[in-house]
Amino acid sequence: MPRLAYSLLTLTLLAAPAMALVPPDYQEPPSDFKAEVETGFQLNTGNTESTSFNGRTKLVYDTSNARQEGTLKAYFASDSEKTTSEKYDLQLQSNYKLNGGYVYGRGDFTWDQFGSYTEIFTVSSGYGFDAISDEDTKLSLEVGPGYRYNLPQENDEQPDPIAEKDLILRLAAKFEQRIHEYTSLTADITTEVGDNNNTVSLDMSYKNTIFLNWAFKVGFNIKYTEIVPVGTKQTDTISTFNLLYTFQ
């Protein structure tokens, strides 16, 4: 037998047992860790009038006993003369799972150079549960007390503004609907009720998978603040059109 044929036969015999150990339909087990990275175009109205780019990174570690989640959002825009929008949002939440629900601790931190409030820090804790949880539809409800720190934007009447500090009650609903295999819709509604101010925010997104882990995502965020500094608007909206990649 020629030496080449002998070598090929030997490799085949050695590889056969290893191939037999791995079924042809084998898939890696699901991971507890998931990450999303997205970037794209944005349109601002309200206190900021501009178009530019934005980015978002979300990390989730979900086990049988707990769920850790962190989201960082960045928005930046400029025109031919100056920067017109610069905003950063950091959201952190830790859930400890119980029978029928979970207790959570949460922190929301916003730095917004052109917003009605340039710094907004909120920490809260409470109880949440899944009102609906099946293959296609999920709805979680949360309620709990918290503390909010708001630093108003400077103006002629308040060149050195005093920060507002408030005890709040936070109410939240998180909804997710899978329309079909490649398309999903999410909507998060959060209300913060305090002695000095009240806010309502809606964060919606529509995601359509285009290839493997790549998806196109349209986002819409609106926040209403009841009391704002003089010269600023109560409602801010951000619309985004992003390309998203999922690691899992």
Side-chain angles (χ1 to χ4, degrees):
M1 179 182 296
R3 178 173 297 181
L4 178 59
Y6 179 79
S7 300
L8 291 175
L9 178 60
T10 302
L11 290 174
T12 301
L13 293 174
L14 291 174
M19 294 175 63
L21 295 175
V22 182
D25 58 348
Y26 173 79
Q27 295 182 354
E28 291 288 340
S31 172
D32 295 332
F33 177 78
K34 178 180 178 181
E36 295 180 348
V37 178
E38 65 180 84
T39 186
F41 171 79
Q42 78 181 54
L43 170 67
N44 288 3
T45 63
N47 289 298
T48 304
E49 301 284 346
S50 63
T51 58
S52 190
F53 291 93
N54 73 94
R56 170 182 170 273
T57 299
K58 180 178 180 180
L59 305 176
V60 177
Y61 185 67
D62 194 357
T63 65
S64 58
N65 296 322
R67 175 184 173 94
Q68 318 295 334
E69 182 175 317
T71 303
L72 175 63
K73 303 177 183 178
Y75 307 93
F76 180 83
S78 62
D79 55 26
S80 57
E81 298 180 356
K82 62 183 183 304
T83 299
T84 57
S85 174
E86 186 175 359
K87 180 181 179 181
Y88 305 95
D89 288 331
L90 176 62
Q91 300 166 349
L92 303 172
Q93 181 161 337
S94 179
N95 298 346
Y96 181 75
K97 299 178 182 179
L98 306 172
N99 290 331
Y102 57 90
V103 293
Y104 73 88
R106 181 179 177 90
D108 294 87
F109 311 95
T110 297
W111 298 266
D112 189 355
Q113 184 177 351
F114 297 91
S116 56
Y117 291 92
T118 57
E119 295 181 5
I120 305 173
F121 304 152
T122 304
V123 292
S124 61
S125 62
Y127 178 78
F129 67 97
D130 295 330
I132 303 174
S133 181
D134 58 37
E135 184 178 357
D136 295 326
T137 306
K138 298 183 184 299
L139 174 63
S140 299
L141 303 177
E142 297 178 351
V143 60
Y147 172 83
R148 182 176 59 211
Y149 169 96
N150 288 350
L151 181 63
Q153 186 184 94
E154 296 180 5
N155 55 52
D156 294 336
E157 296 184 4
Q158 286 187 312
D160 188 16
I162 299 175
E164 303 172 2
K165 303 174 183 178
D166 207 1
L167 295 177
I168 64 167
L169 176 66
R170 176 180 176 273
L171 306 168
K174 302 179 180 181
F175 175 77
E176 181 177 351
Q177 177 68 50
R178 190 174 74 165
I179 301 173
H180 58 70
E181 184 178 1
Y182 301 106
T183 306
S184 63
L185 174 71
T186 62
D188 295 348
I189 303 175
T190 302
T191 299
E192 295 179 0
V193 181
D195 290 334
N196 301 319
N197 211 342
N198 303 314
T199 65
V200 179
S201 63
L202 171 64
D203 193 358
M204 295 183 62
S205 67
Y206 171 86
K207 184 175 71 173
N208 185 66
T209 301
I210 53 179
F211 179 72
L212 296 178
N213 294 332
W214 292 95
F216 176 70
K217 179 180 175 184
V218 179
F220 178 74
N221 178 274
I222 179 170
K223 182 175 182 179
Y224 172 82
T225 304
E226 183 177 7
I227 301 173
V228 295
V230 176
T232 63
K233 298 181 179 181
Q234 292 177 305
T235 303
D236 278 306
T237 64
I238 301 177
S239 302
T240 57
F241 308 87
N242 290 356
L243 186 63
L244 178 147
Y245 185 81
T246 301
F247 302 86
Q248 59 182 359

